[in-house]
Amino acid sequence: MSCTNYIAPFGADKTMTAVLSGEADIGFMGSEASIYTYNEGAEDYVVNFAQLTQRAGNFLVARESMNDFSWEDLKGHLVLGGRKGGMPEMVFEYILRQNGIDPQKDLSIDQSIDFGSTAAAFAGGQGDFTVEFEPGATSLEQEGKGYVVASLGTDSGYVPYTAFSAKKSYIEENPDVIQGFTNALQKGMDYVQSHTPEEIAGIIAPQFEETDLDTITTIVTRYYDQDTWADNLVFSEDSFDLLQDILEDAGELEKRAPYEDLVTTEFAREAAK
């Protein structure tokens, strides 16, 4: 059976649907989707076998440079955020609560703007702050329309933000495919750990033809410096617990899912040898 790596950049729900329906064998998505599906009672649920990123990849952008930024500075302001129940928004609100800020009472969060359009809206004058992924954050800085003042990845802790997963039955029936796929991913992790952001940017530049090399280097450096990628693909129980803490904090999780059902570290540990 052929292996398909299906990536849906506009939401884990679409990726999960592709995996559950059999359209894709392997999905790359936010790990929260596997918890939701499990709790909904799926018999052939999706299991995470390789964690890719260990920090959230978005940043808080302000209209002015703020060298001494504190999350308290958001009080009374309008922030362009993400959709309710989406991981970017949940991580943002988790950080706010960890800093004693009530997301509903202490500031206003605009959740009406489509993913990918917030940077343009901010550049056009909407909001006092915006939560942006790359290349949106760097683009706003380059245009002089905004300044990165905080990293949600740094302030939220080691969150299993993205992982590769497949249905339980597929993993059981195709362990060699999963192991080979994980081995290839580990080679990429090894490269990242042993090369500079400049070297990494040069390698991936052909995949981002619309972005110049200097910008790609800036973006990679930002992620590199905040320890976005681990040196292996092992999905730890501590990070899984933190993920569920965030989901509970956001009111999106009625019951916690068992780590031993939704995560297997067998393939990642073998790949790391």
Side-chain angles (χ1 to χ4, degrees), residues 127-154:
D128 303 312
F129 296 84
T130 183
V131 178
E132 296 294 332
F133 284 95
E134 294 290 10
T138 295
S139 295
L140 285 170
E141 285 195 323
Q142 291 177 334
E143 295 167 8
K145 297 292 182 63
Y147 300 84
V148 172
V149 295
S151 162
L152 277 72
T154 298

Side-chain angles (χ1 to χ4, degrees), residues 19-59:
V19 174
L20 291 176
S21 68
E23 180 185 350
D25 300 322
I26 294 173
F28 176 58
M29 66 190 107
S31 312
E32 75 281 359
S34 64
I35 297 173
Y36 295 153
T37 302
Y38 181 91
N39 282 345
E40 287 167 2
E43 291 186 14
D44 193 8
Y45 50 85
V46 168
V47 177
N48 300 286
F49 63 85
Q51 179 183 329
L52 187 67
T53 52
Q54 62 180 1
R55 288 196 186 277
N58 45 357
F59 302 88

Side-chain angles (χ1 to χ4, degrees), residues 145-225:
K145 297 292 182 63
Y147 300 84
V148 172
V149 295
S151 162
L152 277 72
T154 298
D155 288 4
S156 61
Y158 288 114
V159 179
Y161 207 82
T162 56
F164 288 91
S165 53
K167 286 195 292 187
K168 180 183 177 184
S169 62
Y170 184 85
I171 294 175
E172 292 173 347
E173 295 165 7
N174 302 275
D176 291 344
V177 171
I178 298 297
Q179 190 63 67
F181 188 87
T182 308
N183 291 348
L185 290 172
Q186 183 62 53
K187 288 183 179 180
M189 304 299 275
D190 292 342
Y191 184 92
V192 168
Q193 293 297 319
S194 60
H195 291 76
T196 66
E198 290 78 12
E199 291 170 322
I200 296 168
I203 289 293
I204 68 174
Q207 301 176 54
F208 303 95
E209 294 180 353
E210 73 284 359
T211 308
D212 65 80
L213 183 58
D214 286 344
T215 299
I216 296 174
T217 302
T218 298
I219 292 170
V220 172
T221 300
R222 185 166 275 156
Y223 283 137
Y224 196 95
D225 288 346

Side-chain angles (χ1 to χ4, degrees), residues 84-131:
K84 184 182 185 303
M87 200 61 189
E89 179 64 21
M90 288 190 290
V91 169
F92 176 49
E93 293 187 12
Y94 175 78
I95 293 172
L96 292 177
R97 292 189 182 96
Q98 290 296 301
N99 284 274
I101 301 168
D102 187 323
Q104 278 71 50
K105 298 179 180 178
D106 293 334
L107 70 161
S108 298
I109 304 175
D110 187 341
Q111 298 177 273
S112 66
I113 303 172
D114 291 338
F115 177 88
S117 299
T118 51
F122 188 74
Q126 295 186 47
D128 303 312
F129 296 84
T130 183
V131 178

